[in-house]
Short mmCIF file of all heavy atoms in Angstrom, two decimals:
data_model
loop_
_atom_site.label_atom_id
_atom_site.label_comp_id
_atom_site.label_asym_id
_atom_site.label_seq_id
_atom_site.Cartn_x
_atom_site.Cartn_y
_atom_site.Cartn_z
N TYR R 1577 160.01 102.20 137.86
CA TYR R 1577 158.68 102.28 138.45
C TYR R 1577 158.79 103.27 139.60
O TYR R 1577 159.59 103.06 140.52
CB TYR R 1577 158.22 100.92 138.96
CG TYR R 1577 158.15 99.86 137.89
CD1 TYR R 1577 159.15 98.90 137.78
CD2 TYR R 1577 157.10 99.83 136.99
CE1 TYR R 1577 159.08 97.91 136.81
CE2 TYR R 1577 157.02 98.85 136.01
CZ TYR R 1577 158.02 97.90 135.93
OH TYR R 1577 157.96 96.92 134.95
N THR R 1791 158.27 99.14 126.32
CA THR R 1791 157.23 99.81 127.11
C THR R 1791 156.10 98.86 127.49
O THR R 1791 155.60 98.90 128.62
CB THR R 1791 156.67 101.00 126.33
OG1 THR R 1791 156.31 100.58 125.00
CG2 THR R 1791 157.68 102.12 126.23
N TYR R 1792 155.68 98.01 126.56
CA TYR R 1792 154.60 97.06 126.87
C TYR R 1792 155.07 96.02 127.88
O TYR R 1792 154.33 95.64 128.79
CB TYR R 1792 154.11 96.38 125.59
CG TYR R 1792 153.36 97.29 124.67
CD1 TYR R 1792 154.01 98.04 123.69
CD2 TYR R 1792 151.97 97.43 124.77
CE1 TYR R 1792 153.31 98.88 122.84
CE2 TYR R 1792 151.26 98.27 123.92
CZ TYR R 1792 151.94 99.00 122.96
OH TYR R 1792 151.25 99.84 122.13
N PHE R 1793 156.28 95.56 127.72
CA PHE R 1793 156.85 94.58 128.65
C PHE R 1793 156.88 95.17 130.06
O PHE R 1793 156.50 94.50 131.03
CB PHE R 1793 158.26 94.21 128.19
CG PHE R 1793 159.04 93.41 129.20
CD1 PHE R 1793 158.74 92.07 129.42
CD2 PHE R 1793 160.08 93.99 129.92
CE1 PHE R 1793 159.45 91.32 130.34
CE2 PHE R 1793 160.80 93.25 130.84
CZ PHE R 1793 160.49 91.92 131.05
N ARG R 1794 157.33 96.40 130.19
CA ARG R 1794 157.41 97.04 131.50
C ARG R 1794 156.03 97.14 132.14
O ARG R 1794 155.89 96.96 133.35
CB ARG R 1794 158.04 98.43 131.35
CG ARG R 1794 159.54 98.40 131.22
CD ARG R 1794 160.10 99.51 130.35
NE ARG R 1794 159.55 100.82 130.65
CZ ARG R 1794 159.75 101.89 129.88
NH1 ARG R 1794 160.48 101.79 128.79
NH2 ARG R 1794 159.23 103.04 130.20
N ASN R 1795 155.04 97.43 131.35
CA ASN R 1795 153.69 97.59 131.88
C ASN R 1795 153.10 96.25 132.32
O ASN R 1795 152.46 96.16 133.38
CB ASN R 1795 152.79 98.22 130.82
CG ASN R 1795 151.49 98.72 131.40
OD1 ASN R 1795 151.46 99.43 132.40
ND2 ASN R 1795 150.39 98.35 130.77
N VAL R 1796 153.32 95.20 131.54
CA VAL R 1796 152.82 93.88 131.91
C VAL R 1796 153.58 93.37 133.15
O VAL R 1796 152.98 92.80 134.07
CB VAL R 1796 152.98 92.89 130.74
CG1 VAL R 1796 152.66 91.47 131.19
CG2 VAL R 1796 152.07 93.29 129.59
N LEU R 1797 154.88 93.57 133.16
CA LEU R 1797 155.70 93.10 134.27
C LEU R 1797 155.32 93.79 135.58
O LEU R 1797 155.46 93.20 136.66
CB LEU R 1797 157.18 93.35 133.95
CG LEU R 1797 158.21 92.92 135.00
CD1 LEU R 1797 158.06 91.44 135.31
CD2 LEU R 1797 159.61 93.22 134.51
N ARG R 1798 154.85 95.02 135.48
CA ARG R 1798 154.48 95.77 136.69
C ARG R 1798 153.49 94.99 137.55
O ARG R 1798 153.63 94.95 138.78
CB ARG R 1798 153.87 97.12 136.29
CG ARG R 1798 153.45 97.98 137.47
CD ARG R 1798 152.78 99.24 136.98
NE ARG R 1798 151.59 98.93 136.20
CZ ARG R 1798 150.87 99.82 135.54
NH1 ARG R 1798 151.23 101.08 135.55
NH2 ARG R 1798 149.81 99.46 134.85
N ASN R 1799 152.49 94.37 136.93
CA ASN R 1799 151.50 93.62 137.70
C ASN R 1799 152.12 92.43 138.42
O ASN R 1799 151.78 92.14 139.57
CB ASN R 1799 150.38 93.14 136.78
CG ASN R 1799 149.59 94.29 136.18
OD1 ASN R 1799 149.43 95.32 136.81
ND2 ASN R 1799 149.11 94.12 134.96
N ASP R 1800 153.07 91.76 137.76
CA ASP R 1800 153.78 90.65 138.42
C ASP R 1800 154.58 91.17 139.61
O ASP R 1800 154.62 90.55 140.68
CB ASP R 1800 154.73 89.97 137.44
CG ASP R 1800 154.00 89.27 136.31
OD1 ASP R 1800 152.77 89.10 136.41
OD2 ASP R 1800 154.66 88.91 135.32
N ILE R 1802 154.09 93.94 141.38
CA ILE R 1802 153.23 94.39 142.48
C ILE R 1802 152.85 93.22 143.37
O ILE R 1802 152.89 93.29 144.60
CB ILE R 1802 151.98 95.11 141.93
CG1 ILE R 1802 152.37 96.47 141.33
CG2 ILE R 1802 150.94 95.29 143.02
CD1 ILE R 1802 151.23 97.16 140.61
N GLN R 1932 147.20 96.38 114.45
CA GLN R 1932 148.06 96.23 115.61
C GLN R 1932 148.99 95.04 115.40
O GLN R 1932 148.81 94.24 114.47
CB GLN R 1932 147.22 96.02 116.86
CG GLN R 1932 146.24 97.15 117.16
CD GLN R 1932 146.95 98.43 117.50
OE1 GLN R 1932 148.01 98.44 118.13
NE2 GLN R 1932 146.37 99.56 117.08
N SER R 1933 149.97 94.92 116.28
CA SER R 1933 150.90 93.80 116.17
C SER R 1933 151.49 93.47 117.52
O SER R 1933 151.61 94.33 118.40
CB SER R 1933 152.02 94.14 115.18
OG SER R 1933 152.84 93.00 114.96
N GLY R 1934 151.85 92.20 117.69
CA GLY R 1934 152.55 91.74 118.88
C GLY R 1934 153.70 90.84 118.46
O GLY R 1934 153.63 90.17 117.42
N MET R 1935 154.76 90.81 119.27
CA MET R 1935 155.93 90.01 118.91
C MET R 1935 156.68 89.60 120.17
O MET R 1935 156.87 90.42 121.08
CB MET R 1935 156.85 90.83 117.99
CG MET R 1935 158.11 90.14 117.57
SD MET R 1935 159.06 91.25 116.48
CE MET R 1935 160.44 90.21 116.06
N MET R 1936 157.10 88.34 120.25
CA MET R 1936 157.91 87.89 121.36
C MET R 1936 158.99 86.96 120.85
O MET R 1936 158.74 86.09 120.00
CB MET R 1936 157.07 87.17 122.42
CG MET R 1936 157.84 86.89 123.71
SD MET R 1936 156.84 86.11 124.99
CE MET R 1936 157.26 84.38 124.73
N TRP R 1948 160.22 91.74 123.52
CA TRP R 1948 158.77 91.74 123.76
C TRP R 1948 158.21 93.05 123.23
O TRP R 1948 158.48 94.12 123.76
CB TRP R 1948 158.53 91.62 125.25
CG TRP R 1948 157.11 91.60 125.74
CD1 TRP R 1948 156.11 92.46 125.42
CD2 TRP R 1948 156.56 90.68 126.70
NE1 TRP R 1948 154.97 92.14 126.11
CE2 TRP R 1948 155.21 91.05 126.90
CE3 TRP R 1948 157.06 89.60 127.40
CZ2 TRP R 1948 154.38 90.37 127.79
CZ3 TRP R 1948 156.24 88.93 128.27
CH2 TRP R 1948 154.91 89.31 128.46
N VAL R 1949 157.46 92.98 122.15
CA VAL R 1949 156.83 94.16 121.57
C VAL R 1949 155.32 93.94 121.60
O VAL R 1949 154.79 93.15 120.83
CB VAL R 1949 157.31 94.44 120.13
CG1 VAL R 1949 156.80 95.80 119.66
CG2 VAL R 1949 158.82 94.36 120.04
N GLY R 1950 154.64 94.65 122.47
CA GLY R 1950 153.21 94.41 122.67
C GLY R 1950 152.29 95.20 121.78
O GLY R 1950 151.08 94.94 121.76
N GLY R 1951 152.83 96.16 121.03
CA GLY R 1951 151.98 96.97 120.18
C GLY R 1951 152.77 98.04 119.45
O GLY R 1951 154.00 98.06 119.48
N HIS R 1954 152.99 102.64 122.89
CA HIS R 1954 152.32 102.49 124.18
C HIS R 1954 151.61 103.76 124.62
O HIS R 1954 150.63 103.70 125.38
CB HIS R 1954 153.34 102.08 125.25
CG HIS R 1954 152.71 101.64 126.53
ND1 HIS R 1954 152.53 102.48 127.61
CD2 HIS R 1954 152.18 100.45 126.90
CE1 HIS R 1954 151.94 101.83 128.58
NE2 HIS R 1954 151.71 100.60 128.19
N PHE R 1957 148.36 103.32 122.24
CA PHE R 1957 147.69 102.02 122.23
C PHE R 1957 148.20 101.22 123.43
O PHE R 1957 149.31 100.69 123.40
CB PHE R 1957 147.99 101.26 120.93
CG PHE R 1957 147.70 102.04 119.67
CD1 PHE R 1957 148.72 102.68 118.98
CD2 PHE R 1957 146.41 102.15 119.19
CE1 PHE R 1957 148.48 103.40 117.82
CE2 PHE R 1957 146.15 102.87 118.02
CZ PHE R 1957 147.18 103.50 117.35
N LYS R 1958 147.41 101.14 124.48
CA LYS R 1958 147.87 100.58 125.74
C LYS R 1958 147.84 99.06 125.80
O LYS R 1958 148.55 98.46 126.58
CB LYS R 1958 147.03 101.13 126.91
CG LYS R 1958 147.06 102.63 127.07
CD LYS R 1958 148.45 103.13 127.41
CE LYS R 1958 148.44 104.63 127.70
NZ LYS R 1958 149.81 105.15 127.90
N PHE R 1959 146.99 98.44 125.01
CA PHE R 1959 146.73 97.01 125.17
C PHE R 1959 147.90 96.18 124.66
O PHE R 1959 148.40 96.38 123.55
CB PHE R 1959 145.45 96.62 124.44
CG PHE R 1959 144.95 95.25 124.79
CD1 PHE R 1959 144.57 94.94 126.08
CD2 PHE R 1959 144.86 94.27 123.82
CE1 PHE R 1959 144.10 93.67 126.40
CE2 PHE R 1959 144.39 93.01 124.12
CZ PHE R 1959 144.01 92.71 125.43
N ASP R 1960 148.35 95.23 125.48
CA ASP R 1960 149.47 94.36 125.12
C ASP R 1960 148.99 93.17 124.31
O ASP R 1960 148.06 92.46 124.71
CB ASP R 1960 150.15 93.86 126.40
CG ASP R 1960 151.20 92.82 126.12
OD1 ASP R 1960 152.24 93.17 125.54
OD2 ASP R 1960 150.97 91.64 126.46
N HIS R 1961 149.64 92.93 123.16
CA HIS R 1961 149.24 91.84 122.27
C HIS R 1961 150.18 90.63 122.36
O HIS R 1961 150.17 89.79 121.46
CB HIS R 1961 149.16 92.34 120.83
CG HIS R 1961 148.05 93.30 120.60
ND1 HIS R 1961 146.73 92.91 120.50
CD2 HIS R 1961 148.04 94.65 120.47
CE1 HIS R 1961 145.96 93.98 120.31
NE2 HIS R 1961 146.73 95.04 120.29
N VAL R 1962 150.96 90.57 123.43
CA VAL R 1962 151.81 89.40 123.65
C VAL R 1962 151.17 88.46 124.67
O VAL R 1962 150.93 87.29 124.38
CB VAL R 1962 153.22 89.81 124.12
CG1 VAL R 1962 154.02 88.60 124.57
CG2 VAL R 1962 153.96 90.53 123.00
N LYS R 1963 150.89 88.98 125.85
CA LYS R 1963 150.38 88.13 126.92
C LYS R 1963 148.93 88.42 127.29
O LYS R 1963 148.18 87.51 127.65
CB LYS R 1963 151.26 88.29 128.16
CG LYS R 1963 151.04 87.22 129.22
CD LYS R 1963 152.04 87.37 130.36
CE LYS R 1963 151.89 86.23 131.37
NZ LYS R 1963 152.82 86.38 132.51
N GLN R 1964 148.53 89.69 127.20
CA GLN R 1964 147.18 90.05 127.59
C GLN R 1964 146.14 89.64 126.54
O GLN R 1964 145.02 89.28 126.86
CB GLN R 1964 147.09 91.56 127.84
CG GLN R 1964 147.87 92.02 129.06
CD GLN R 1964 147.77 93.52 129.28
OE1 GLN R 1964 147.52 94.27 128.34
NE2 GLN R 1964 147.99 93.96 130.51
N SER R 1965 146.53 89.71 125.29
CA SER R 1965 145.59 89.43 124.20
C SER R 1965 145.56 87.93 123.89
O SER R 1965 146.59 87.25 123.91
CB SER R 1965 146.02 90.20 122.95
OG SER R 1965 145.23 89.85 121.84
N THR R 1966 144.36 87.43 123.59
CA THR R 1966 144.22 86.06 123.07
C THR R 1966 143.41 86.12 121.79
O THR R 1966 142.37 86.78 121.73
CB THR R 1966 143.53 85.12 124.08
OG1 THR R 1966 142.23 85.64 124.40
CG2 THR R 1966 144.36 84.99 125.35
N ARG R 1967 143.90 85.44 120.76
CA ARG R 1967 143.23 85.43 119.46
C ARG R 1967 143.32 84.04 118.85
O ARG R 1967 144.14 83.22 119.25
CB ARG R 1967 143.87 86.47 118.52
CG ARG R 1967 143.79 87.90 119.00
CD ARG R 1967 142.36 88.42 118.97
NE ARG R 1967 141.96 88.78 117.63
CZ ARG R 1967 141.95 90.03 117.16
NH1 ARG R 1967 142.32 91.04 117.92
NH2 ARG R 1967 141.54 90.27 115.92
N GLN R 1968 142.50 83.80 117.82
CA GLN R 1968 142.58 82.53 117.11
C GLN R 1968 143.92 82.42 116.39
O GLN R 1968 144.29 83.34 115.65
CB GLN R 1968 141.43 82.41 116.12
CG GLN R 1968 140.07 82.26 116.77
CD GLN R 1968 138.97 82.06 115.74
OE1 GLN R 1968 139.18 82.17 114.55
NE2 GLN R 1968 137.76 81.77 116.23
N LYS R 2057 147.86 77.57 127.89
CA LYS R 2057 147.11 77.67 129.14
C LYS R 2057 145.65 78.10 128.95
O LYS R 2057 144.84 77.93 129.86
CB LYS R 2057 147.81 78.64 130.09
CG LYS R 2057 149.17 78.13 130.57
CD LYS R 2057 149.79 79.11 131.56
CE LYS R 2057 151.07 78.54 132.15
NZ LYS R 2057 152.10 78.24 131.15
N THR R 2058 145.33 78.66 127.82
CA THR R 2058 143.95 79.11 127.60
C THR R 2058 143.04 77.91 127.36
O THR R 2058 143.50 76.81 127.05
CB THR R 2058 143.87 80.07 126.40
OG1 THR R 2058 144.55 79.48 125.30
CG2 THR R 2058 144.51 81.40 126.74
N ASP R 2072 141.00 80.43 121.11
CA ASP R 2072 141.89 81.57 121.36
C ASP R 2072 143.12 81.16 122.18
O ASP R 2072 143.01 80.38 123.15
CB ASP R 2072 141.15 82.67 122.12
CG ASP R 2072 140.15 83.41 121.24
OD1 ASP R 2072 140.12 83.13 120.02
OD2 ASP R 2072 139.41 84.25 121.76
N VAL R 2073 144.25 81.72 121.82
CA VAL R 2073 145.50 81.52 122.56
C VAL R 2073 146.24 82.85 122.61
O VAL R 2073 145.93 83.79 121.87
CB VAL R 2073 146.40 80.45 121.88
CG1 VAL R 2073 145.74 79.09 121.90
CG2 VAL R 2073 146.74 80.88 120.45
N SER R 2074 147.24 82.92 123.46
CA SER R 2074 148.08 84.12 123.51
C SER R 2074 149.37 83.86 122.74
O SER R 2074 149.83 82.71 122.63
CB SER R 2074 148.42 84.49 124.96
OG SER R 2074 149.30 83.55 125.54
N LEU R 2075 149.94 84.90 122.21
CA LEU R 2075 151.23 84.78 121.52
C LEU R 2075 152.29 84.28 122.51
O LEU R 2075 153.17 83.49 122.15
CB LEU R 2075 151.62 86.15 120.95
CG LEU R 2075 152.96 86.25 120.21
CD1 LEU R 2075 152.97 85.35 118.99
CD2 LEU R 2075 153.25 87.69 119.81
N TYR R 2076 152.19 84.72 123.74
CA TYR R 2076 153.12 84.32 124.80
C TYR R 2076 153.13 82.79 124.95
O TYR R 2076 154.20 82.17 124.98
CB TYR R 2076 152.66 84.99 126.09
CG TYR R 2076 153.45 84.67 127.33
CD1 TYR R 2076 154.60 85.41 127.66
CD2 TYR R 2076 153.04 83.67 128.20
CE1 TYR R 2076 155.31 85.14 128.82
CE2 TYR R 2076 153.75 83.40 129.37
CZ TYR R 2076 154.87 84.13 129.66
OH TYR R 2076 155.58 83.87 130.82
N ASP R 2077 151.95 82.18 125.02
CA ASP R 2077 151.86 80.72 125.18
C ASP R 2077 152.33 80.00 123.92
O ASP R 2077 152.99 78.95 124.00
CB ASP R 2077 150.42 80.31 125.48
CG ASP R 2077 150.04 80.56 126.93
OD1 ASP R 2077 150.91 81.00 127.71
OD2 ASP R 2077 148.86 80.33 127.28
N MET R 2078 151.99 80.53 122.77
CA MET R 2078 152.36 79.87 121.52
C MET R 2078 153.87 79.80 121.34
O MET R 2078 154.42 78.75 120.96
CB MET R 2078 151.71 80.58 120.33
CG MET R 2078 150.21 80.38 120.22
SD MET R 2078 149.77 78.67 119.80
CE MET R 2078 150.17 78.63 118.06
N TYR R 2096 161.15 86.00 132.50
CA TYR R 2096 161.75 87.28 132.11
C TYR R 2096 162.38 88.05 133.27
O TYR R 2096 162.84 89.17 133.10
CB TYR R 2096 160.71 88.17 131.42
CG TYR R 2096 159.29 88.02 131.93
CD1 TYR R 2096 158.88 88.62 133.11
CD2 TYR R 2096 158.36 87.28 131.20
CE1 TYR R 2096 157.58 88.50 133.56
CE2 TYR R 2096 157.06 87.15 131.65
CZ TYR R 2096 156.67 87.76 132.82
OH TYR R 2096 155.38 87.63 133.28
N TRP R 2169 149.52 85.36 111.51
CA TRP R 2169 150.53 84.87 112.44
C TRP R 2169 151.76 84.35 111.70
O TRP R 2169 151.68 83.93 110.56
CB TRP R 2169 150.00 83.69 113.27
CG TRP R 2169 148.89 83.99 114.23
CD1 TRP R 2169 147.59 84.29 113.94
CD2 TRP R 2169 148.98 83.97 115.66
NE1 TRP R 2169 146.86 84.46 115.09
CE2 TRP R 2169 147.69 84.26 116.17
CE3 TRP R 2169 150.00 83.72 116.57
CZ2 TRP R 2169 147.41 84.32 117.53
CZ3 TRP R 2169 149.74 83.78 117.93
CH2 TRP R 2169 148.45 84.08 118.40
N TRP R 2182 152.20 88.33 115.68
CA TRP R 2182 150.77 88.40 115.35
C TRP R 2182 150.45 89.77 114.79
O TRP R 2182 150.99 90.79 115.26
CB TRP R 2182 149.92 88.15 116.60
CG TRP R 2182 148.47 88.51 116.40
CD1 TRP R 2182 147.48 87.71 115.91
CD2 TRP R 2182 147.84 89.78 116.65
NE1 TRP R 2182 146.29 88.39 115.84
CE2 TRP R 2182 146.49 89.67 116.29
CE3 TRP R 2182 148.32 91.00 117.13
CZ2 TRP R 2182 145.60 90.74 116.41
CZ3 TRP R 2182 147.43 92.07 117.25
CH2 TRP R 2182 146.08 91.92 116.89
N GLY R 2185 143.59 93.58 113.87
CA GLY R 2185 142.96 94.75 114.47
C GLY R 2185 142.69 94.53 115.94
O GLY R 2185 142.65 93.39 116.43
N ASP R 2186 142.51 95.63 116.69
CA ASP R 2186 142.18 95.49 118.10
C ASP R 2186 140.85 94.76 118.28
O ASP R 2186 140.69 93.97 119.21
CB ASP R 2186 142.11 96.87 118.76
CG ASP R 2186 143.40 97.21 119.49
OD1 ASP R 2186 144.12 96.27 119.88
OD2 ASP R 2186 143.69 98.40 119.68
N ARG R 2188 138.00 92.11 116.77
CA ARG R 2188 137.97 90.97 115.87
C ARG R 2188 137.23 91.29 114.57
O ARG R 2188 137.48 90.67 113.53
CB ARG R 2188 137.30 89.77 116.55
CG ARG R 2188 138.09 89.24 117.73
CD ARG R 2188 137.32 88.16 118.46
NE ARG R 2188 137.94 87.83 119.71
CZ ARG R 2188 138.80 86.83 119.90
NH1 ARG R 2188 139.15 86.09 118.86
NH2 ARG R 2188 139.31 86.59 121.08
#
Side-chain angles (χ1 to χ4, degrees):
Y1577 301 102
T1791 50
Y1792 290 89
F1793 170 74
R1794 281 148 47 190
N1795 194 50
V1796 172
L1797 180 57
R1798 180 184 61 187
N1799 295 328
D1800 294 347
I1802 289 173
Q1932 301 294 325
S1933 186
M1935 179 179 182
M1936 190 177 96
W1948 180 310
V1949 189
H1954 192 264
F1957 307 99
K1958 300 296 186 186
F1959 193 62
D1960 172 69
H1961 292 284
V1962 171
K1963 194 175 185 182
Q1964 292 179 336
S1965 174
T1966 59
R1967 299 290 283 260
Q1968 291 183 353
K2057 293 182 173 60
T2058 49
D2072 287 355
V2073 295
S2074 69
L2075 179 62
Y2076 178 87
D2077 282 357
M2078 288 292 284
Y2096 34 78
W2169 293 71
W2182 167 88
D2186 262 336
R2188 294 174 191 265

